[in-house]
């Protein structure tokens, strides 16, 4: 239900005399009109391409919610590699372009993951109150925005007791990477305590989650990192502190004598490696598979090197190694109940200090933050050897 032109004019005038309200959660200042209209900004695109070429800030107003609608104020929204692929148009889930945010040409809002606070609700909304924190039920929400209005059925409540003591950055990054690690460790092979999994991209968000969950469940992890010019030992120590049993560079892993190291680690094969996790691709995957026990599985969930996986056929014929893929979006859509259980459990582990979130590079998004700052944070996600995951943290929006 779009407001009339006269209402827009009144709202614009009212917004010039905005008042600030205080939040019990973040002590932020909110710009809100005398008529209850929220002034929102979104990081949007009208055509697919490189983020730096296509992303722009768009402002619009949000009317007070009615019936089953909620008005949300975003708290934290990460910038995940898949978000970039979506903007580039090379991801299976397409962005939803439309004109509902008052533009003449269709636009889409970037971002799929995040946490928001309910700031107003329509009369028909049950089970959600002002001040509640919610995460998105499905991919494709468009989370790089200060505010949104949506149907209550599109979000999942993060109960007060589940989020107690946690920062928005921790809650806003729980539904993709930890979930992916969880399912891959559990759904392809029943690893026994003391058995191993091997993974590349071990310092990624998923990799870090896999190390920690694996440790909690009694699995040992052999972790492969891309060799870097500096900070290698620090990174190895960082993953070891998360619970990694062995951390090596790709160069060390590919060395001829690494077979001896595997023998030593696996107690002569008595504690076999029965699972491989791959987010890199390329020849490294074939090398990983060579160290696996017969009948093991390699689960591919990313392709960061953009190189195809090459395999010696003997591994398929004589060792019966299985190659699988995992996509959390598909799994989450098919298993909404289990998704909620996993989220609750990871938040509990985080609260108890048994699960550390990834290193982050927060980008504060205030009402007056410039477009260039936001866009370059998104573009920067494509660079390797990063010190932390980019995440928009919303301030006095
Ligand atoms: N299938 C699914 O359901 C699912 C779910 C979540 C994530 N993913 C995918 O998993 C991957 C990791 O996601 P994330 O959020 O965990 O990422 P992240 O925290 O941003 O980490 C990126 C990882 O990729 C590595 N990397 C970057 N460029 C590389 C290159 N050219 N060659 C080799 N490695 C490279 C990085 O290593 P350096 O530090 O050495 O650069 C780092 O380990 C992405 O491909 C993402 O799309 C898939």
């Amino acid at each position: 239900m779009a407001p009339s032109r006269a209402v827009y004019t009144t709202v614009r005038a009212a917004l010039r005399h905005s008042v600030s309200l205080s939040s019990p959660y973040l002590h932020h200042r909110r710009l809100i009109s005398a008529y209850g209209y929220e002034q929102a900004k979104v990081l949007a695109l009208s055509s697919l391409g490189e983020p730096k070429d296509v992303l722009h800030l768009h402002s619009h107003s949000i009317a007070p919610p009615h019936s089953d609608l909620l008005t949300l104020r975003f708290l934290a929204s990460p910038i995940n590699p898949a978000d970039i692929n979506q903007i580039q148009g090379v991801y299976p889930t397409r962005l939803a372009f439309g004109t509902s945010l008052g533009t003449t040409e269709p636009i889409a809002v970037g971002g799929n993951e995040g946490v928001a606070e309910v700031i107003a609700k329509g009369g028909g909304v049950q089970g959600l109150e002002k001040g509640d924190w919610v995460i998105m039920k499905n991919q494709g929400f468009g989370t790089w925005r200060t505010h949104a209005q949506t149907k209550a059925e599109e979000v999942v409540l993060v109960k007060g007791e589940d989020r107690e003591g946690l920062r928005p950055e921790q809650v806003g990054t729980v539904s993709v990477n930890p979930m992916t690690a969880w399912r891959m460790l559990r759904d392809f092979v029943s690893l026994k305590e003391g058995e191993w999994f091997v993974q590349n991209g071990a310092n990624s968000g998923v990799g870090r989650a896999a190390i920690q969950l694996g440790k909690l469940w009694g699995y040992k992890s052999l972790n492969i990192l891309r060799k870097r010019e500096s900070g290698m030992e620090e990174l190895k120590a960082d993953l070891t502190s998360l619970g990694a049993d062995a951390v090596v560079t790709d160069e060390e892993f590919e060395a001829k004598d690494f077979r001896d190291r595997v023998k030593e680690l696996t107690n002569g094969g008595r504690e076999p490696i029965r699972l491989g996790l791959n987010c890199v691709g390329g020849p490294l995957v074939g090398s990983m598979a060579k160290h696996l026990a017969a009948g093991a599985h390699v689960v591919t969930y990313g392709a960061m090197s953009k190189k195809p996986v090459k395999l010696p056929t003997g591994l398929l014929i004589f060792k019966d190694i299985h190659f699988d893929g995992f996509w959390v979006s598909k799994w989450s859509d098919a298993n909404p109940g289990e998704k909620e259980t996993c989220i609750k459990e990871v938040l509990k582990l985080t609260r108890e200090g048994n699960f550390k979130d990834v290193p982050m590079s927060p980008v504060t998004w205030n009402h007056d933050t410039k477009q260039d700052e936001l866009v370059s944070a998104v573009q920067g996600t494509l660079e390797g050897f990063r010190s932390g995951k980019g995440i928009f943290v919303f301030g006095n929006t």
Side-chain angles (χ1 to χ4, degrees), residues 80-82 176-177 180 201 203-206 226 228 279-280 301-305 326-328 384-385 389:
N80 287 319
V176 175
N177 286 344
T180 302
N203 62 323
S204 68
V206 178
R226 201 154 60 124
R228 47 176 72 197
C279 78
V280 172
Y301 65 99
M304 292 305 289
S305 72
F326 179 77
W327 188 24
V328 74
F385 306 117
K389 179 175 281 297

Short mmCIF file of all heavy atoms in Angstrom, two decimals, residues 80-82 176-177 180 201 203-206 226 228 279-280 301-305 326-328 384-385 389, ligand 1:
data_model
loop_
_atom_site.label_atom_id
_atom_site.label_comp_id
_atom_site.label_asym_id
_atom_site.label_seq_id
_atom_site.Cartn_x
_atom_site.Cartn_y
_atom_site.Cartn_z
N ASN A 80 29.19 -12.13 2.78
CA ASN A 80 29.68 -13.48 2.51
C ASN A 80 30.08 -13.61 1.04
O ASN A 80 29.52 -12.91 0.18
CB ASN A 80 28.58 -14.50 2.82
CG ASN A 80 28.36 -14.68 4.31
OD1 ASN A 80 29.32 -14.72 5.08
ND2 ASN A 80 27.12 -14.76 4.74
N PRO A 81 31.04 -14.53 0.74
CA PRO A 81 31.45 -14.71 -0.66
C PRO A 81 30.25 -14.96 -1.59
O PRO A 81 30.21 -14.45 -2.71
CB PRO A 81 32.38 -15.93 -0.61
CG PRO A 81 32.94 -15.93 0.77
CD PRO A 81 31.86 -15.38 1.65
N ALA A 82 29.26 -15.72 -1.13
CA ALA A 82 28.11 -16.02 -2.00
C ALA A 82 27.33 -14.76 -2.37
O ALA A 82 26.73 -14.68 -3.45
CB ALA A 82 27.19 -17.03 -1.31
N VAL A 176 24.64 -19.39 8.42
CA VAL A 176 25.21 -19.92 7.18
C VAL A 176 26.44 -20.79 7.46
O VAL A 176 26.43 -22.00 7.24
CB VAL A 176 25.56 -18.78 6.18
CG1 VAL A 176 26.26 -19.34 4.95
CG2 VAL A 176 24.28 -18.05 5.75
N ASN A 177 27.52 -20.17 7.96
CA ASN A 177 28.77 -20.92 8.06
C ASN A 177 28.76 -22.02 9.14
O ASN A 177 29.12 -23.17 8.84
CB ASN A 177 29.94 -19.96 8.27
CG ASN A 177 30.27 -19.22 6.98
OD1 ASN A 177 29.85 -19.63 5.91
ND2 ASN A 177 31.02 -18.14 7.08
N THR A 180 26.65 -24.86 7.94
CA THR A 180 27.26 -25.63 6.85
C THR A 180 28.27 -26.62 7.42
O THR A 180 28.29 -27.80 7.06
CB THR A 180 27.96 -24.65 5.86
OG1 THR A 180 26.98 -23.74 5.39
CG2 THR A 180 28.59 -25.38 4.70
N GLY A 201 41.00 -24.57 2.96
CA GLY A 201 40.35 -23.30 3.35
C GLY A 201 40.02 -23.32 4.83
O GLY A 201 38.99 -22.79 5.26
N ASN A 203 40.94 -21.75 7.36
CA ASN A 203 40.77 -20.49 8.10
C ASN A 203 39.50 -19.74 7.68
O ASN A 203 39.25 -18.65 8.14
CB ASN A 203 41.98 -19.57 7.90
CG ASN A 203 42.17 -19.18 6.45
OD1 ASN A 203 41.94 -20.00 5.57
ND2 ASN A 203 42.60 -17.96 6.19
N SER A 204 38.70 -20.32 6.78
CA SER A 204 37.44 -19.67 6.37
C SER A 204 36.46 -19.76 7.54
O SER A 204 36.70 -20.46 8.53
CB SER A 204 36.87 -20.40 5.15
OG SER A 204 36.46 -21.70 5.52
N GLY A 205 35.36 -19.04 7.39
CA GLY A 205 34.33 -19.09 8.43
C GLY A 205 33.84 -20.51 8.64
O GLY A 205 33.68 -20.97 9.78
N VAL A 206 33.61 -21.22 7.55
CA VAL A 206 33.13 -22.61 7.65
C VAL A 206 34.22 -23.48 8.28
O VAL A 206 33.94 -24.30 9.16
CB VAL A 206 32.73 -23.16 6.26
CG1 VAL A 206 32.28 -24.60 6.37
CG2 VAL A 206 31.63 -22.31 5.63
N ARG A 226 46.25 -21.92 2.75
CA ARG A 226 47.00 -21.42 1.62
C ARG A 226 48.25 -20.71 2.15
O ARG A 226 48.14 -19.91 3.08
CB ARG A 226 46.13 -20.41 0.88
CG ARG A 226 46.52 -20.17 -0.53
CD ARG A 226 45.32 -19.71 -1.31
NE ARG A 226 44.72 -18.49 -0.85
CZ ARG A 226 44.52 -17.42 -1.59
NH1 ARG A 226 44.94 -17.43 -2.85
NH2 ARG A 226 43.88 -16.37 -1.14
N ARG A 228 50.96 -18.15 2.82
CA ARG A 228 50.96 -16.68 2.68
C ARG A 228 52.32 -16.13 3.06
O ARG A 228 53.09 -16.80 3.78
CB ARG A 228 49.85 -16.06 3.52
CG ARG A 228 49.76 -16.60 4.94
CD ARG A 228 48.72 -15.88 5.77
NE ARG A 228 47.35 -16.18 5.40
CZ ARG A 228 46.31 -15.45 5.76
NH1 ARG A 228 46.49 -14.37 6.51
NH2 ARG A 228 45.08 -15.78 5.40
N CYS A 279 36.52 -26.34 0.01
CA CYS A 279 35.94 -25.08 -0.45
C CYS A 279 36.88 -24.37 -1.40
O CYS A 279 36.66 -23.22 -1.75
CB CYS A 279 35.57 -24.16 0.72
SG CYS A 279 36.94 -23.27 1.47
N VAL A 280 37.94 -25.06 -1.84
CA VAL A 280 38.95 -24.42 -2.69
C VAL A 280 38.92 -24.95 -4.12
O VAL A 280 38.92 -24.19 -5.08
CB VAL A 280 40.37 -24.60 -2.06
CG1 VAL A 280 41.45 -24.13 -3.01
CG2 VAL A 280 40.47 -23.83 -0.74
N TYR A 301 31.88 -27.67 -0.95
CA TYR A 301 30.87 -26.64 -0.64
C TYR A 301 31.26 -25.27 -1.16
O TYR A 301 30.50 -24.31 -1.02
CB TYR A 301 30.61 -26.58 0.88
CG TYR A 301 31.80 -26.12 1.70
CD1 TYR A 301 31.90 -24.81 2.14
CD2 TYR A 301 32.81 -27.01 2.04
CE1 TYR A 301 32.99 -24.37 2.89
CE2 TYR A 301 33.91 -26.58 2.77
CZ TYR A 301 33.99 -25.27 3.20
OH TYR A 301 35.08 -24.84 3.93
N GLY A 302 32.44 -25.14 -1.75
CA GLY A 302 32.85 -23.85 -2.30
C GLY A 302 33.88 -24.08 -3.39
O GLY A 302 34.36 -25.21 -3.60
N ALA A 303 34.22 -23.01 -4.10
CA ALA A 303 35.16 -23.13 -5.22
C ALA A 303 36.02 -21.87 -5.26
O ALA A 303 36.09 -21.20 -6.29
CB ALA A 303 34.37 -23.30 -6.52
N MET A 304 36.66 -21.56 -4.13
CA MET A 304 37.34 -20.28 -4.01
C MET A 304 38.47 -20.09 -5.04
O MET A 304 38.72 -18.98 -5.45
CB MET A 304 37.91 -20.10 -2.59
CG MET A 304 36.88 -19.94 -1.50
SD MET A 304 35.69 -18.61 -1.75
CE MET A 304 36.64 -17.15 -1.50
N SER A 305 39.14 -21.15 -5.46
CA SER A 305 40.24 -20.99 -6.43
C SER A 305 39.70 -20.87 -7.85
O SER A 305 40.45 -20.56 -8.76
CB SER A 305 41.21 -22.17 -6.35
OG SER A 305 40.60 -23.32 -6.92
N PHE A 326 27.45 -29.95 -0.99
CA PHE A 326 26.49 -29.49 0.03
C PHE A 326 26.17 -28.02 -0.21
O PHE A 326 27.07 -27.21 -0.46
CB PHE A 326 27.05 -29.67 1.44
CG PHE A 326 26.10 -29.18 2.50
CD1 PHE A 326 24.99 -29.94 2.86
CD2 PHE A 326 26.29 -27.94 3.10
CE1 PHE A 326 24.09 -29.47 3.80
CE2 PHE A 326 25.38 -27.47 4.05
CZ PHE A 326 24.28 -28.23 4.40
N TRP A 327 24.88 -27.69 -0.12
CA TRP A 327 24.45 -26.30 -0.26
C TRP A 327 23.49 -26.00 0.88
O TRP A 327 22.40 -26.56 0.96
CB TRP A 327 23.77 -26.09 -1.62
CG TRP A 327 23.48 -24.67 -1.93
CD1 TRP A 327 24.10 -23.57 -1.42
CD2 TRP A 327 22.49 -24.19 -2.83
NE1 TRP A 327 23.57 -22.42 -1.97
CE2 TRP A 327 22.58 -22.77 -2.83
CE3 TRP A 327 21.55 -24.81 -3.66
CZ2 TRP A 327 21.74 -21.97 -3.62
CZ3 TRP A 327 20.72 -24.01 -4.44
CH2 TRP A 327 20.83 -22.61 -4.42
N VAL A 328 23.91 -25.12 1.77
CA VAL A 328 23.13 -24.87 2.99
C VAL A 328 21.75 -24.27 2.70
O VAL A 328 20.79 -24.53 3.42
CB VAL A 328 23.94 -24.00 3.99
CG1 VAL A 328 24.00 -22.55 3.55
CG2 VAL A 328 23.42 -24.12 5.40
N GLY A 384 41.87 -12.20 -1.41
CA GLY A 384 42.26 -13.28 -0.51
C GLY A 384 43.10 -12.73 0.65
O GLY A 384 43.32 -11.53 0.76
N PHE A 385 43.56 -13.63 1.52
CA PHE A 385 44.45 -13.31 2.65
C PHE A 385 43.88 -12.18 3.52
O PHE A 385 44.60 -11.27 3.92
CB PHE A 385 45.85 -12.93 2.14
CG PHE A 385 46.45 -13.97 1.23
CD1 PHE A 385 46.75 -13.68 -0.10
CD2 PHE A 385 46.72 -15.24 1.70
CE1 PHE A 385 47.29 -14.65 -0.93
CE2 PHE A 385 47.27 -16.21 0.88
CZ PHE A 385 47.55 -15.91 -0.44
N LYS A 389 36.30 -11.28 8.34
CA LYS A 389 35.10 -11.22 7.48
C LYS A 389 34.47 -9.84 7.56
O LYS A 389 34.29 -9.30 8.66
CB LYS A 389 34.10 -12.28 7.97
CG LYS A 389 32.81 -12.29 7.16
CD LYS A 389 31.88 -13.42 7.56
CE LYS A 389 32.28 -14.75 6.97
NZ LYS A 389 32.22 -14.81 5.49
N1 LIG B 1 27.78 -24.56 -0.02
C1 LIG B 1 27.36 -23.87 1.03
O1 LIG B 1 26.25 -24.09 1.55
C2 LIG B 1 28.23 -22.82 1.60
C3 LIG B 1 27.94 -22.23 2.84
C4 LIG B 1 28.84 -21.29 3.36
C5 LIG B 1 29.96 -20.95 2.61
N2 LIG B 1 30.15 -21.51 1.40
C6 LIG B 1 31.33 -21.21 0.58
O2 LIG B 1 32.46 -21.53 1.35
C7 LIG B 1 33.53 -20.71 0.97
C8 LIG B 1 34.07 -20.04 2.22
O3 LIG B 1 33.08 -19.17 2.74
P1 LIG B 1 33.32 -18.36 4.08
O4 LIG B 1 32.22 -17.44 4.32
O5 LIG B 1 33.68 -19.35 5.12
O6 LIG B 1 34.59 -17.53 3.58
P2 LIG B 1 35.65 -16.63 4.29
O7 LIG B 1 35.54 -16.73 5.76
O8 LIG B 1 35.58 -15.30 3.61
O9 LIG B 1 37.02 -17.36 3.84
C9 LIG B 1 37.42 -17.44 2.51
C10 LIG B 1 38.40 -18.60 2.39
O10 LIG B 1 38.69 -18.80 1.01
C11 LIG B 1 40.11 -18.80 0.86
N3 LIG B 1 40.43 -18.25 -0.46
C12 LIG B 1 40.12 -17.02 -0.92
N4 LIG B 1 40.55 -16.89 -2.19
C13 LIG B 1 41.17 -18.05 -2.51
C14 LIG B 1 41.84 -18.55 -3.67
N5 LIG B 1 41.95 -17.80 -4.77
N6 LIG B 1 42.35 -19.79 -3.64
C15 LIG B 1 42.24 -20.55 -2.53
N7 LIG B 1 41.61 -20.16 -1.41
C16 LIG B 1 41.09 -18.92 -1.39
C17 LIG B 1 40.63 -17.93 1.98
O11 LIG B 1 41.96 -18.25 2.21
P3 LIG B 1 43.08 -17.09 2.39
O12 LIG B 1 42.89 -16.56 3.78
O13 LIG B 1 44.34 -17.82 2.18
O14 LIG B 1 42.79 -16.06 1.35
C18 LIG B 1 39.70 -18.36 3.11
O15 LIG B 1 40.13 -19.59 3.65
C19 LIG B 1 32.98 -19.75 -0.07
O16 LIG B 1 33.23 -20.29 -1.35
C20 LIG B 1 31.50 -19.75 0.21
O17 LIG B 1 30.73 -19.40 -0.92
C21 LIG B 1 29.33 -22.44 0.89
#
